[in-house]
Amino acid sequence: MPINKFIPTNLSIKEINGTISWSSPSNIALVKYWGKKENQIPENQSISFTLDACKTITKLTYSKREKNKENFSFQVFLDRVHKPDFEPKITTFFTRIEQYLPFLKEFYFKIETENTFPHSSGIASSASGMSALALCLMSIEKELNPEITEEDFIKKASFLARLGSGSACRSLEGDLVVWGKHDDIEGSSDLFGVKYPYKVHENFKNYQDTILLVDKGEKQVSSTVGHGLMHGHPFAQERFKQADENITKIKAILESGDLDAFIALVESEALTLHAMMMTSMPYFILMKPNTLEIINKIWSFRKETGLHISFTLDAGANVHILYPENETKAIIEFIKTELVAYCQNGHYICDRIGFGAKQL
Ligand code: DP6
């Protein structure tokens, strides 16, 4: 069923052409989205830190077509190289969003995209990539309907990004974004991400995320397949309930600045996500031996030093190391001396909380 408020009513499809560029960051979930219903509606709420350095830059060139407007017309380039194999994914995205952007078939699009992180890093580019593209398309809608407010622009861009990839709806703003309707988060919705609206303690300002690249290979199970395996999963309902409770808990933690409680919640979320994968049918494991080595090293180092280092994982083997800014020096030293050996080719990326997408 279409969501009527996102269907534009007063667009005049003019003879326009031009180029628009947006950069949009990746994000890392603290409470994880895992499981969805039809139309990209999440089974549970999630909350993420928006990242800063890991982002996608997308340039969209558009020109009005004269004829043959039955199909979408576009080409995709990654790092200037034409990528026909990316096109089915974009066709699926365009098909899902066409009713909300009725001008899509009226234009030819050249989509040129690049990531600040290496393509084969195991870092998913779908959140940053889909949000950057959704923003570019919204800029065209704005050109056709300049009346649209800033607030509605971002809301609809997040709504469209979600239809490309669920977690992409959390990449437009910063520094924390909630997706999924929750009684404790005013304005929250299953349809789009909202900027976290409450007080956040100084401890979490400029929080750091160093991403250890443990395995840069293609994942053997995609997120989309993984979400699907939550249907009929024996622990699914308990997990969705836990995520709901964890949103309530993290709200109190973010306000009080309780770093120990933050660590316990975030690490438990990461391991629960992977436990869901290990207990689905078919079951699978995305962690690698080095993922576990790193986790154990982090736990010993935390015990020895009392520093507030913690980890989280997304749907892969890489480890995101989270820590407060004022502990950076000792923790980076630890990463360099003890953890780099577990990274593929010694690669890691230093990132931190960011503030969302930007038009270039
Ligand atoms: C484990 O957003 O990549 O990173 O909606 O199928 O595109 P699709 O899935 P995706 O799933 C991300 C899952 C996660 C957790 C999270 O980011 O919340």
Side-chain angles (χ1 to χ4, degrees):
M1 198 184 66
I3 312 293
N4 291 337
K5 68 176 171 188
F6 291 110
I7 299 177
T9 46
N10 56 345
L11 283 190
S12 63
I13 303 189
K14 294 177 270 196
E15 287 286 328
I16 54 169
N17 54 59
T19 296
I20 292 154
S21 297
W22 277 88
S23 87
S24 190
S26 186
N27 67 74
I28 181 71
L30 304 170
V31 174
K32 310 285 180 181
Y33 148 56
W34 199 244
K36 60 177 160 182
K37 303 178 194 159
E38 248 188 285
N39 301 322
Q40 296 282 105
I41 298 299
E43 287 276 14
N44 66 265
Q45 308 85 347
S46 55
I47 181 168
S48 50
F49 274 149
T50 305
L51 295 182
D52 180 44
C54 289
K55 54 192 176 200
T56 297
I57 295 144
T58 296
K59 178 166 133 189
L60 185 70
T61 305
Y62 54 99
S63 51
K64 191 84 171 40
R65 300 164 76 192
E66 295 302 324
K67 45 183 193 258
N68 301 332
K69 299 187 212 164
E70 303 82 53
N71 297 312
F72 301 118
S73 170
F74 65 89
Q75 286 180 300
V76 186
F77 296 79
L78 174 69
D79 298 329
R80 294 165 198 268
V81 180
H82 184 209
K83 290 278 180 187
D85 47 320
F86 282 24
E87 286 164 15
K89 206 168 176 195
I90 303 293
T91 301
T92 305
F93 178 47
F94 279 8
T95 307
R96 284 184 192 161
I97 64 175
E98 191 190 3
Q99 55 191 320
Y100 305 107
L101 298 177
F103 55 83
L104 280 184
K105 285 189 180 143
E106 297 286 332
F107 291 92
Y108 159 75
F109 298 107
K110 183 176 183 193
I111 305 165
E112 293 170 277
T113 181
E114 53 191 76
N115 300 320
T116 56
F117 47 91
H119 181 58
S120 57
S121 58
I123 298 185
S125 57
S126 61
S128 52
M130 286 297 177
S131 52
L133 181 56
L135 285 158
C136 288
L137 294 170
M138 278 309 293
S139 290
I140 300 180
E141 171 163 335
K142 194 176 159 78
E143 206 177 328
L144 299 171
N145 170 24
E147 314 283 78
I148 188 165
T149 64
E150 190 82 1
E151 197 188 331
D152 287 347
F153 179 97
I154 284 288
K155 213 177 251 185
K156 183 164 173 185
S158 175
F159 172 85
L160 298 174
R162 186 197 98 244
L163 293 171
S165 176
S167 56
C169 77
R170 299 189 312 241
S171 271
L172 290 84
E173 296 177 279
D175 42 358
L176 282 150
V177 176
V178 178
W179 171 36
K181 174 102 197 77
H182 194 285
D183 290 345
D184 292 346
I185 311 285
E186 220 185 309
S188 59
S189 169
D190 286 348
L191 301 178
F192 45 79
V194 294
K195 195 170 145 53
Y196 181 71
Y198 304 109
K199 204 178 128 226
V200 177
H201 192 278
E202 278 300 310
N203 283 350
F204 299 108
K205 294 280 149 74
N206 210 21
Y207 222 70
Q208 304 289 302
D209 179 4
T210 302
I211 309 163
L212 304 187
L213 305 180
V214 171
D215 183 36
K216 306 189 201 171
E218 190 78 14
K219 283 187 277 186
Q220 73 266 48
V221 181
S222 73
S223 293
T224 303
V225 171
H227 288 293
L229 294 175
M230 288 302 276
H231 293 297
H233 189 295
F235 308 131
Q237 294 313 317
E238 275 305 307
R239 161 60 196 153
F240 303 145
K241 205 166 114 226
Q242 179 197 44
D244 184 299
E245 288 160 6
N246 278 346
I247 295 282
T248 303
K249 285 185 188 158
I250 206 168
K251 184 179 166 190
I253 292 170
L254 290 170
E255 180 165 1
S256 68
D258 184 342
L259 289 170
D260 293 331
F262 177 82
I263 291 169
L265 187 146
V266 166
E267 291 190 347
S268 156
E269 273 288 324
L271 295 179
T272 302
L273 167 71
H274 283 257
M276 290 299 114
M277 300 174 191
M278 289 190 240
T279 49
S280 61
M281 193 56 84
Y283 42 84
F284 59 103
I285 302 181
L286 295 183
M287 288 186 282
K288 297 282 180 199
N290 282 352
T291 311
L292 295 177
E293 293 285 356
I294 290 167
I295 291 174
N296 279 310
K297 288 265 179 189
I298 289 172
W299 285 344
S300 321
F301 179 74
R302 187 163 76 218
K303 205 162 167 207
E304 274 161 35
T305 62
L307 292 174
H308 298 96
I309 182 171
S310 62
F311 72 87
T312 188
L313 307 166
D314 56 17
N318 295 335
V319 183
H320 289 248
I321 303 194
L322 303 176
Y323 48 97
E325 188 185 22
N326 61 5
E327 297 181 9
T328 299
K329 198 163 169 270
I331 291 176
I332 284 287
E333 191 55 36
F334 162 65
I335 291 172
K336 283 189 185 154
T337 54
E338 303 260 353
L339 300 185
V340 165
Y342 300 107
C343 299
Q344 210 177 336
N345 306 324
H347 282 171
Y348 64 95
I349 296 172
C350 290
D351 209 340
R352 64 210 68 80
I353 283 189
F355 294 92
K358 289 192 193 84
Q359 184 163 10
L360 305 173

